[in-house]
Amino acid sequence: MKKVENYLTSVKEHLPLIGRESIVMELRSFLLDEIEEKFGESPTGSEIEEFLKVYGDPEEVAEKYYSERHIIPATYTKLYMLVVKFIVFAVFIAFTASFFVKLLSSDLRDSQIFTEVLSIFANTLTASISGIGFFTVLLIVYSKFKKVIPEEAGLKKVTKSKTGSHKYSKDHSLVEVIISIIGSIAILVIINFFPELITKGEDLFINAGLKLGHRVNIEFINKYVLVFNFFWSVSIILEMVYFINRKKASFKLAYEGLSHTLHLALGLVLLQSSALYLDYTGLIGVKLVFLISVIVNSFELFGFVLKYVFKRLEMLN
Amino acid sequence: MSDYKKITDNLIQEFRRGILVYIVLLNCKKSVYGYSLVGKIEETGIPIEKNTLYPLLRRLEKQKLLSSEWSVDESRPRKYYQISEFGERVLETLSKEWVDLIKKINLIEEEIK
């Protein structure tokens, strides 16, 4: 019955957020009843596949669960969501790029940098709201003038089948975890056994004709090596435990929350530790790497919190 | 597909769509589960699209015309639907309207003969 579950997962992706769990539960019951009635208690894989193909494309099946009264018709929902995501992403990239241009072209102090980083998120929020609002109004007006033909009951033909072809997005995060484990191990090895590699890396940077705003204080790393070891070990253990339990959805959620919080906390600590940076004249150097890490992890943590809130809302329904 | 077939098919579908709620309410006088309802309707010779019927059951439940209950006594959970008290009242009005409509259509047909 894995094919049925894959099919249900595909349907679920296109269902309205509110009440999707109960719709999937109902649909599972309907489909299994019908499969059993038609093919008995042990249907073959091809029988199930053929049945699901006839039942309908997951996206089209899901669309039928949308209420008929919509400001924006259900047929435009996918396009709407795509454009919304694009607006937020494009605005964020634009403000981040503008921040880096400002950072490299002017002499920003620490407090100014912090304010500028915060303003990336604030500006992204306000500009996204304006952009999404404008697009929403545009789509509502367009929907009023362009009549959307409601789906004719029973006249829709199955043009394509996604049955059994759903691939979980787990694969993507799995690659991230593997890279993260390798990266964490590499950092542990460098700070414990070859800290001078950091200085050599900086020398290479300078020899290439580039300008460094500061150097890393190796003494500081040696002094706090136990703290770093603790952090990176926890990080590696967390990733390995996740790697083993990656099929458990609840574990994935806990891992994401813990991992982003942990990395963000360390990034902030390292960013603020002035003793770590020698001959400080500017941000370019390891501090910039920490700053990027803080920005990325803040963004990911924000996304994670949103995802968690939506999941809770979904469970409430 | 010829124009004649295409147009008549569309119109027949529209007919069926219009009375689908009525048919479902009539068949939910006794407690039924999704697939058994499909069977009951199809036995009367009315073909039905299941992927249209199941979302409809949900909508009728939301409108409080049907009540539902999950049964866990069987091999797997099954949702049973039955017409609600409010649904009965709505069905009564629909039945009267249906009978009235047929009478009027018959009258029109007799007039033009």
Side-chain angles (χ1 to χ4, degrees):
Chain A
M1 293 299 169
K2 201 168 174 259
K3 284 183 195 296
V4 176
E5 287 309 317
N6 286 344
Y7 181 80
L8 288 170
T9 310
S10 293
V11 174
K12 190 178 169 184
E13 277 180 0
H14 302 287
L15 282 172
L17 198 65
I18 309 285
R20 57 164 66 163
E21 288 298 335
S22 64
I23 293 175
V24 168
M25 212 169 134
E26 278 173 23
L27 199 54
R28 181 182 291 112
S29 165
F30 296 146
L31 294 177
L32 293 179
D33 273 341
E34 208 169 326
I35 289 170
E36 191 179 293
E37 183 70 26
K38 281 193 170 145
F39 310 109
E41 281 181 9
S42 312
T44 64
S46 57
E47 281 172 337
I48 295 173
E49 204 159 311
E50 190 54 36
F51 167 81
L52 294 173
K53 200 172 168 184
V54 172
Y55 191 80
D57 178 80
E59 195 175 339
E60 287 167 10
V61 169
E63 273 173 16
K64 295 193 175 183
Y65 281 92
Y66 278 88
S67 158
E68 281 164 17
R69 279 185 294 167
H70 273 286
I71 296 175
I72 296 168
T75 38
Y76 291 153
T77 311
K78 207 176 170 188
L79 169 78
Y80 180 75
M81 292 310 291
L82 187 76
V83 176
V84 165
K85 280 177 196 167
F86 177 76
I87 290 173
V88 178
F89 182 70
V91 166
F92 178 75
I93 294 294
F95 282 113
T96 309
S98 146
F99 163 74
F100 279 108
V101 169
K102 201 183 270 184
L103 190 73
L104 298 170
S105 60
S106 58
D107 191 23
L108 292 174
R109 296 279 98 203
D110 281 1
S111 60
Q112 287 172 313
I113 292 167
F114 187 66
T115 316
E116 287 292 332
V117 170
L118 282 183
S119 70
I120 294 177
F121 294 100
N123 291 338
T124 302
L125 186 71
T126 48
S128 298
I129 290 170
S130 307
I132 293 166
F134 178 72
F135 176 66
T136 307
V137 172
L138 205 71
L139 202 58
I140 291 169
V141 173
Y142 178 74
S143 313
K144 295 287 167 220
F145 288 103
K146 179 158 172 52
K147 197 182 171 197
V148 178
I149 302 161
E151 283 191 12
E152 302 286 338
L155 287 182
K156 273 258 167 188
K157 285 196 171 65
V158 179
T159 50
K160 54 181 178 172
S161 169
K162 289 178 186 168
T163 57
S165 62
H166 179 82
K167 203 154 166 48
Y168 289 89
S169 56
K170 274 174 197 158
D171 290 354
H172 174 67
S173 54
L174 205 64
V175 176
E176 278 179 18
V177 173
I178 293 167
I179 292 172
S180 193
I181 291 174
I182 296 169
S184 299
I185 292 171
I187 291 170
L188 261 184
V189 172
I190 290 172
I191 61 170
N192 279 281
F193 306 107
F194 312 104
E196 68 279 5
L197 279 180
I198 299 170
T199 313
K200 281 187 180 162
E202 287 174 335
D203 290 342
L204 275 174
F205 197 82
I206 294 166
N207 292 340
L210 299 164
K211 201 182 161 193
L212 266 183
H214 57 266
R215 305 287 296 239
V216 174
N217 184 359
I218 301 296
E219 291 302 314
F220 179 89
I221 292 179
N222 290 336
K223 198 171 166 188
Y224 291 100
V225 74
L226 283 178
V227 179
F228 290 126
N229 281 349
F230 173 75
F231 170 80
W232 292 115
S233 304
V234 170
S235 183
I236 292 168
I237 291 166
L238 196 67
E239 273 147 8
M240 282 181 165
V241 175
Y242 168 70
F243 186 78
I244 296 161
N245 297 279
R246 63 191 180 277
K247 282 182 182 165
K248 293 178 188 166
S250 57
F251 202 92
K252 190 181 177 211
L253 206 68
Y255 161 77
E256 281 184 8
L258 271 171
S259 173
H260 295 320
T261 312
L262 208 63
H263 283 97
L264 179 62
L266 185 82
L268 284 170
V269 169
L270 292 174
L271 205 60
Q272 292 302 313
S273 308
S274 49
L276 180 62
Y277 314 107
L278 290 175
D279 312 325
Y280 191 87
T281 54
L283 189 74
I284 299 172
V286 170
K287 194 171 182 179
L288 186 63
V289 177
F290 295 143
L291 181 67
I292 294 169
S293 157
V294 166
I295 294 171
V296 170
N297 278 297
S298 306
F299 197 61
E300 293 219 21
L301 195 61
F302 178 67
F304 164 78
V305 171
L306 275 185
K307 203 160 79 177
Y308 181 75
V309 170
F310 279 130
K311 207 171 171 65
R312 295 297 299 178
L313 277 173
E314 196 181 300
M315 281 162 80
L316 284 174
N317 289 283
Chain B
M1 193 190 282
S2 69
D3 279 355
Y4 165 79
K5 180 126 178 51
K6 209 169 150 184
I7 290 169
T8 47
D9 274 357
N10 267 322
L11 290 172
I12 289 168
Q13 290 288 356
E14 281 293 321
F15 259 171
R16 284 179 186 153
R17 264 184 79 186
I19 56 164
L20 187 57
V21 172
Y22 182 48
I23 295 169
V24 169
L25 290 177
L26 279 173
N27 281 283
C28 285
K29 290 249 179 189
K30 281 183 186 168
S31 181
V32 284
Y33 62 90
Y35 189 62
S36 70
L37 179 64
V38 173
K40 273 177 87 173
I41 296 173
E42 283 184 342
E43 269 173 30
T44 59
I46 301 168
I48 191 157
E49 281 281 314
K50 283 140 223 164
N51 57 18
T52 304
L53 177 71
Y54 297 145
L56 176 69
L57 287 174
R58 203 175 161 82
R59 273 202 284 279
L60 296 180
E61 198 189 340
K62 237 181 187 172
Q63 291 169 349
K64 311 252 186 277
L65 295 171
L66 293 180
S67 59
S68 73
E69 207 176 356
W70 278 98
S71 163
V72 285
D73 301 335
E74 293 148 273
S75 55
R76 61 173 167 271
R78 213 173 233 171
K79 199 173 186 182
Y80 280 84
Y81 300 87
Q82 191 164 13
I83 192 162
S84 66
E85 213 174 297
F86 175 59
E88 290 271 16
R89 275 165 47 211
V90 172
L91 180 62
E92 205 179 313
T93 311
L94 286 180
S95 294
K96 279 179 191 162
E97 188 61 33
W98 178 248
V99 172
D100 195 38
L101 201 65
I102 297 216
K103 270 184 198 166
K104 282 170 185 165
I105 291 168
N106 284 340
L107 270 176
I108 296 169
E109 281 182 340
E110 275 172 28
E111 268 177 31
I112 55 164
K113 267 179 190 171

